[in-house]
Amino acid sequence: MTAPLAPGAQLRHGRVSLALSFFVQGAVFALLVTRIPAIQDRYGISDGLLPVFLAAVPVLAGVGSIVTEQLVKRVRPSRVLRCVQPVVCLALLAVGSVGSMAQVAVALAAFGLAVGALDASMNMLGVSLQRAYGRSIMLGFHAAYSLGGIVGASLAWAGAHWKLSLGLLYGPVVAVLVPLAVVVGRWFVDQRDVAGPGKPEPVQPVEAGPGAPGAPSVSVAPAAAAAPVTPVAMRLLLPLCLVMAFAYIGDSTVSNWSAKYLQDVLGSSEQLATVPYNVYMVTTLLGRAVGDLGVRRFGAVAVVRCGTVVAAGGFAVVAAAPGAWAGMAGFTLLGLGLCVIVPQTFAAAGRYAYDSQGAGASDMAVARLNIFNYVGFLIGSPLVGALGDAWSYRGAMLVPMALVLVTLVYARSFGAPRAGYGDRHERPRTADVG
C-alpha cells in the first residue's frame, strides 16, 4: 500500500524529535567553528598547528561515519543517534574547559568521531522518515539544522561581545542541550518502526526484479529477512558522492572566504565583511524551509537543477562584483541555491539503495555518502586559498562554480519515480506478502 499521506502520531513525533536533533547539532557545530580563534588563543595553538587540528575533525568524522555504516547492521540508527548526540555536546564543553593542548586535542578527536556517527545516523532517520511519510520532508530537517546554526552563531557572538570564557559560554548551553537531546531521543523513529499498517514487523524489503531504481519492492516476513544486507556498489553511488563533495566545497568557500573576499577584494569595511555569511545562513534557512514544497510540486530533479543554476549564478556574481553590495547579492544567491542540494543528495542515495537492495542498504548508502560531506569540507578552503594566492581570488570563485555545475550532469540521479513524494509525484505502490 502507499505510505500514509496523513501520518500517524508515531511518525509525527518522530519527525518533530528528529528536527530538534538537527537543531541541536546545528547549534553545537556553530558554537565550535565560530569560536576557533578563541580556542586557538586559550590553548596557545600556533598558526602552523591550527590547520592540523582543524583538519583532524572532519577526517575523524569520516572515520565515525565508516564505523556507523558497520554498526547499523546490528544496532538501530535511532539508538546510535541517541547515544552519540550527548557525547557531541559534552565534547564541545570539554573543548572549552580542559586545561592543556593535549587535552583539547583529545576533546576535538572525540567531537570528530561522534559527529561522524551523528551526521550519518541523523540522515539515515531522515531518509527513512521521508519514505514513511510518502512525501518530501528532508529539506525541513536541514532547515532545522540551519536554524540551529544561526542560534549557535548568535550565542557565540554574544559570548565574544561580553568577553565570556569558552567554559562560561559552552557550559549553560550544553546544560540545556544534553537533556533536550536525551528527551527527544525517546521519540526517534527508524525504518524498523515505520513498516506501516498491515505489514509484518519487522519487515525486510527485497528487490522485486532486476534493475533500475523504482521497481516495486516486496516485503517478506521476518523469517525470510535473515539474509545479510548487500550494499549498493560504490561506483553506482559515485555521481551522488561527487555532487555531495562539490556542494560542500561551495559551502566551505562561503564560510571560510566570504569575509576576506568582501574586505580584501571588494573593499568593504571590517564590519560589513561579517554580513555575507550571516545572509548566507539566513537564505539557506529560508530556501530549505520552503524547499520541500518545491519538491512535492515540481519533483526533485527540477529543484536540484534550479538550485544548481542559482548557486552557479551566485558564484558568477561574486566573481564579477564591482563592489561589496553586489558581492553580498551573490552570496545571497549562493545560500538560496546550495541549500537544496545536500538534503536531496541524501534522499536520492537512500531511495536508490532502498529500491535496489532494501532498507538496510539505504542506511549503508547514507553513511558512505556522508563521508563526502567531509571530503568537500577539507578540500574547499585550501583549494580556494591556493588558487587565490597563485592566481586571483576572483578567478578562484569560478572553480567552485564549475564544480557545482557538475550537478547538472548528474541531475537525473535525483529522479527516481519516488523522488517527488506525493501529489503529482506519487511513489509506486508496494505489494505486501506473508
Side-chain angles (χ1 to χ4, degrees):
M1 61 173 57
T2 55
L5 293 178
Q10 183 189 29
L11 291 183
R12 290 196 300 271
H13 293 162
R15 182 179 180 181
V16 171
S17 64
L18 186 59
L20 288 171
S21 181
F22 270 86
F23 174 87
V24 169
Q25 173 58 6
V28 168
F29 191 74
L31 281 164
L32 176 71
V33 299
T34 56
R35 298 299 286 148
I36 291 297
I39 294 170
Q40 182 182 12
D41 291 342
R42 172 179 169 85
Y43 298 105
I45 303 171
S46 67
D47 289 340
L49 194 57
L50 182 63
V52 177
F53 276 73
L54 298 182
V57 174
V59 168
L60 289 170
V63 173
S65 192
I66 292 170
V67 171
T68 303
E69 177 188 347
Q70 303 304 315
L71 188 60
V72 295
K73 295 176 182 178
R74 300 170 178 83
V75 180
R76 294 186 179 204
S78 56
R79 293 179 181 173
V80 175
L81 179 56
R82 201 177 302 158
C83 292
V84 297
Q85 187 145 50
V87 173
V88 171
C89 296
L90 293 172
L92 175 71
L93 179 60
V95 167
S97 305
V98 295
S100 70
M101 188 185 302
Q103 290 173 341
V104 79
V106 172
L108 286 170
F111 185 93
L113 286 168
V115 157
L118 186 149
D119 286 344
S121 58
M122 219 167 36
N123 283 289
M124 290 173 190
L125 295 185
V127 167
S128 61
L129 267 175
Q130 175 164 286
R131 187 163 56 244
Y133 259 73
R135 63 179 186 265
S136 178
I137 59 173
M138 194 69 179
L139 280 153
F141 294 132
H142 285 257
Y145 179 92
S146 298
L147 179 60
I150 292 171
V151 171
S154 300
L155 290 171
W157 177 88
H161 179 74
W162 294 104
K163 295 180 170 43
L164 300 178
S165 68
L166 290 172
L168 194 56
L169 170 63
Y170 291 162
V173 175
V174 170
V176 173
L177 294 185
V178 168
L180 177 62
V182 170
V183 170
V184 302
R186 297 177 58 194
W187 286 280
F188 289 153
V189 175
D190 60 23
Q191 58 196 5
R192 302 183 197 183
D193 302 318
V194 294
K199 292 187 180 182
E201 176 148 3
V203 298
Q204 176 65 41
V206 297
E207 194 175 356
S217 57
V218 179
S219 299
V220 296
V229 175
T230 302
V232 175
M234 195 65 192
R235 61 182 175 81
L236 299 177
L237 287 177
L238 186 59
L240 294 173
C241 293
L242 292 175
V243 169
M244 177 69 79
F246 295 160
Y248 268 98
I249 287 173
D251 179 82
S252 66
T253 298
V254 180
S255 60
N256 289 291
W257 291 104
S258 58
K260 179 177 176 62
Y261 186 87
L262 215 71
Q263 188 171 357
D264 294 354
V265 178
L266 301 183
S268 78
S269 66
E270 184 177 355
Q271 291 76 18
L272 189 61
T274 64
V275 174
Y277 187 60
N278 292 328
V279 171
Y280 172 79
M281 289 196 297
V282 171
T283 53
T284 296
L285 170 62
L286 294 176
R288 287 173 171 174
V290 301
D292 284 319
L293 298 177
V295 174
R296 295 170 200 167
R297 178 67 177 83
F298 301 107
V301 172
V303 169
V304 169
R305 282 176 173 161
C306 180
T308 300
V309 171
V310 170
F315 275 119
V317 170
V318 169
W325 290 102
M328 280 199 289
F331 287 117
T332 300
L333 290 174
L334 277 168
L336 291 172
L338 288 176
C339 69
V340 300
I341 297 176
V342 169
Q344 285 304 305
T345 306
F346 277 120
R351 181 172 58 249
Y352 176 75
Y354 181 88
D355 289 344
S356 59
Q357 300 292 349
S362 173
D363 289 342
M364 296 166 70
V366 169
R368 291 184 179 187
L369 182 66
N370 186 57
I371 298 168
F372 288 82
N373 159 358
Y374 312 119
V375 171
F377 189 84
L378 273 172
I379 293 174
S381 181
L383 175 65
V384 172
L387 289 171
D389 290 340
W391 179 22
S392 76
Y393 280 98
R394 286 186 184 273
M397 291 294 165
L398 298 177
V399 174
M401 180 191 78
L403 293 175
V404 168
L405 281 172
V406 172
T407 302
L408 293 177
V409 178
Y410 298 124
R412 290 186 180 180
S413 299
F414 295 83
R418 300 183 188 181
Y421 295 108
D423 298 334
R424 293 170 56 201
H425 302 276
E426 288 290 344
R427 62 190 288 179
R429 292 184 176 271
T430 303
D432 300 325
V433 297

